[in-house]
Amino acid sequence: MIRIRDLLVRVGSFELPVKNLDVSDNDWVVITGRSGSGKTVFLETIAGFFKPESGSIILDGADITSLPPEKRGISIVFQDYSLFPHMTARENIGYGLKLRNNPEIHSIVSDYARMLGIDSLLDRSPAQLSGGEKQRVAIARALVVNPKLLLLDEPASALDHETRRSLWNDLCSLHDRGDLTIIHVTHDRNEAEVLGNRRIIIDGGKFVE
Amino acid sequence: MNRPDLFTSVCIFAGSLPVLLIILGLLVLTGLQVADPETFIDAILDPSVIDSILLTFTAAACSTLILFAIGTPLAYLLSRQKFPLKSVVEGLIDLPLVIPHTVAGIIVYLLCMRQGLLGLPGSLVGIRFEETIAGIIIAMLFVSVPYYVNTVREGFSRVPVRLEQVARSLGATPGRAFVQISLPLTTRHILTGGLMAWGRGVSEFAAVVMIAYHPMIISTLIYQRFNTGGLYAATAVAFVMVVFSLLLFVFIRILGGRLLSEVR
């Protein structure tokens, strides 16, 4: 469970206050808002890329507000996939496991690749993958490390309608398997209505449920 | 092939001029050797010429390696961080580009002479810069800094910060994210910057000669031959240097190309 209390994030002249937000285990919270409303800044603050001015972020009872990103156990998937271009799909997915010296790296990578339908693409470089395939690799890479929380930053916005639908289905099945808490930001109202079990709108720096 | 349009023709004409200048220069130099092969053969067989070329290449390689170690973190910081007086630091890095090389030599000498800011502590631990290879390396380093740092900084700025952020979220420390993500993606710029810095070091004369006339790097030797033996004695050594440099540059380019394809 994640609890956010009296958070204030300042990036340049932009301010984002978040009074209170509780996300329970296995929740899938979809946050919408206009461009520039602070959705991505909010996610990046939870991930640890921005340090808040004040307030606290509690994850599973531990205060992670000052922890660096690598110690939070939170994975993030960006809109632009952010795959490591000098690694194959397999190396991208296995990156987090390699850092942990996980001996079962090969089988775990294969399992997630199969789940997401990219098992035949593992030896390709990101440049040889389509947008949908890249996003599946990015999602697999985020999930193999078994994160306490998955952050999705407009994961389907760069994809065509059909690929987007297919990705949503895959995300829903992964979430339905249980033990996956998601905070997902999107500017797509349709996506916000179809996905998740909670919807929040950021409006004028305020969170409205 | 289609007939080039007017603009392309102008580009071809303008672009061919600097290339032509270099080719003409090389032809003149080669012509002199053909006209007087004995002097050229003497230069090739002269151990002091070969020693001097090896010393120049080695000292420039050492200064490039030092630059890799200290210039890469600086380039990374400049591309990623905002800090007070950053533009002053950037200006200082560019300074060796705009000051006359004799001035660079004076600065290096003042720093490295026996009572200098580097020379004094150096002499306490047994390192002397005057008339030594250490002095040559420092002078080459001084004039090469902007070539390396600016090229590598450009490389780091092309690596999206998000790649490092993703690596961090997956468990990488900042150091690991740098070594495993940003550094490999900057290989091309590091090689190019290293080659430019090395070439700059090899071509330096004024800054080096102020701190170390001896041991003689190749540009000092050419200058000395010019003063003592005249133009023909100097051109023979110069030609040997050009041939060696050309061969080495081609070799490094081929090696760099192979390395890059492996990284990819």
Side-chain angles (χ1 to χ4, degrees):
Chain A
M1 176 177 186
I2 184 160
R3 286 165 49 191
I4 294 168
R5 294 286 178 269
D6 300 317
L7 202 71
L8 177 64
V9 189
R10 189 171 288 142
V11 183
S13 58
F14 177 78
E15 270 190 8
L16 180 69
V18 184
K19 190 75 186 150
N20 289 315
L21 179 68
D22 288 350
V23 178
S24 303
D25 288 343
N26 298 325
D27 263 0
W28 183 340
V29 178
V30 182
I31 299 174
T32 56
R34 281 173 296 178
S35 291
S37 58
K39 304 185 296 287
T40 299
V41 168
F42 176 63
L43 280 198
E44 292 186 342
T45 306
I46 297 176
F49 307 144
F50 288 118
K51 205 173 172 187
E53 294 275 315
S54 58
S56 60
I57 305 170
I58 312 289
L59 181 63
D60 290 346
D63 188 344
I64 60 162
T65 320
S66 306
L67 280 185
E70 62 270 24
K71 291 193 175 158
R72 295 192 176 207
I74 296 174
S75 289
I76 187 162
V77 175
F78 287 113
Q79 173 187 356
D80 63 0
Y81 328 119
S82 294
L83 296 183
F84 307 135
H86 57 306
M87 297 182 191
T88 61
R90 185 190 304 280
E91 288 164 337
N92 263 280
I93 298 172
Y95 182 76
L97 295 171
K98 201 174 168 192
L99 288 171
R100 289 161 177 75
N101 294 319
N102 191 316
E104 291 169 43
I105 180 166
H106 188 72
S107 61
I108 298 173
V109 168
S110 300
D111 286 349
Y112 275 90
R114 209 171 303 119
M115 257 186 264
L116 285 156
I118 47 170
D119 44 334
S120 61
L121 313 171
L122 286 177
D123 293 318
R124 291 195 191 171
S125 76
Q128 296 170 305
L129 300 173
S130 70
E133 290 163 350
K134 282 180 190 170
Q135 201 53 293
R136 283 184 165 78
V137 172
I139 289 168
R141 180 178 64 180
L143 290 176
V144 291
V145 292
N146 204 14
K148 293 173 191 163
L149 176 66
L150 176 65
L151 305 174
L152 301 174
D153 182 10
E154 312 229 13
S157 65
L159 306 177
D160 62 71
H161 184 70
E162 207 161 301
T163 315
R164 194 180 301 180
R165 286 266 166 200
S166 159
L167 187 74
W168 289 352
N169 287 339
D170 284 347
L171 276 171
C172 287
S173 357
L174 283 166
H175 183 252
D176 291 345
R177 288 158 59 103
D179 207 23
L180 183 60
T181 309
I182 300 176
I183 299 180
H184 174 170
V185 304
T186 178
H187 68 272
D188 181 344
R189 284 189 171 198
N190 189 22
E191 192 170 312
E193 279 163 20
V194 174
L195 299 174
N197 59 329
R198 281 175 69 190
R199 269 166 287 285
I200 290 171
I201 299 168
I202 302 185
D203 190 15
K206 286 186 178 160
F207 279 58
V208 184
E209 195 149 357
Chain B
M1 193 178 152
N2 291 339
R3 201 185 161 88
D5 56 35
L6 181 65
F7 176 70
T8 312
S9 303
V10 171
C11 287
I12 291 170
F13 175 72
S16 62
L17 291 179
V19 179
L20 205 63
L21 192 68
I22 296 169
I23 291 172
L24 280 176
L26 288 175
L27 281 177
V28 171
L29 198 61
T30 312
L32 285 173
Q33 310 319 308
V34 173
D36 182 10
E38 270 181 34
T39 314
F40 171 63
I41 290 167
D42 283 350
I44 270 196
L45 299 175
D46 183 349
S48 64
V49 173
I50 303 301
D51 286 351
S52 180
I53 288 176
L54 288 179
L55 169 72
T56 311
F57 286 1
T58 311
C62 289
S63 82
T64 305
L65 281 177
I66 296 171
L67 261 180
F68 172 73
I70 62 177
T72 309
L74 175 63
Y76 182 72
L77 277 180
L78 289 170
S79 79
R80 285 284 189 265
Q81 305 288 337
K82 287 179 185 161
F83 52 86
L85 302 177
K86 183 178 174 182
S87 46
V88 174
V89 174
E90 286 170 335
L92 286 171
I93 288 163
D94 287 340
L95 195 66
L97 286 175
V98 292
I99 57 171
H101 295 187
T102 40
V103 177
I106 289 170
I107 293 172
V108 171
Y109 182 74
L110 288 173
L111 279 175
C112 297
M113 63 183 189
R114 217 159 292 174
Q115 297 303 317
L117 279 175
L118 292 177
L120 190 61
S123 64
L124 294 176
V125 291
I127 300 172
R128 205 163 57 84
F129 294 102
E130 287 163 276
E131 306 298 329
T132 66
I133 189 169
I136 296 172
I137 291 170
I138 293 285
M140 288 178 171
L141 184 75
F142 187 87
V143 295
S144 309
V145 166
Y147 293 88
Y148 183 81
V149 172
N150 288 337
T151 310
V152 177
R153 177 178 56 182
E154 169 66 21
F156 281 127
S157 1
R158 286 176 187 223
V159 178
V161 178
R162 287 221 159 141
L163 295 185
E164 288 175 18
Q165 290 179 331
V166 168
R168 300 272 316 265
S169 73
L170 293 170
T173 58
R176 274 206 168 187
F178 171 76
V179 170
Q180 295 176 338
I181 307 299
S182 302
L183 205 57
L185 293 174
T186 318
T187 308
R188 180 185 293 275
H189 286 83
I190 289 175
L191 284 176
T192 308
L195 196 58
M196 284 168 69
W198 180 80
R200 185 66 197 81
V202 165
S203 65
E204 186 50 40
F205 170 62
V208 172
V209 85
M210 296 247 181
I211 186 80
Y213 190 87
H214 290 283
M216 274 190 200
I217 58 163
I218 194 69
S219 46
T220 313
L221 185 72
I222 291 168
Y223 178 70
Q224 188 240 18
R225 293 283 163 99
F226 178 75
N227 279 335
T228 55
L231 183 65
Y232 286 98
T235 52
V237 182
F239 187 70
V240 176
M241 174 63 185
V242 168
V243 171
F244 267 76
S245 299
L246 206 61
L247 288 175
L248 204 67
F249 257 86
V250 170
F251 173 72
I252 290 173
R253 286 278 180 201
I254 293 170
L255 197 73
R258 280 196 190 154
L259 195 70
L260 281 175
S261 62
E262 273 173 30
V263 169
R264 251 179 258 126

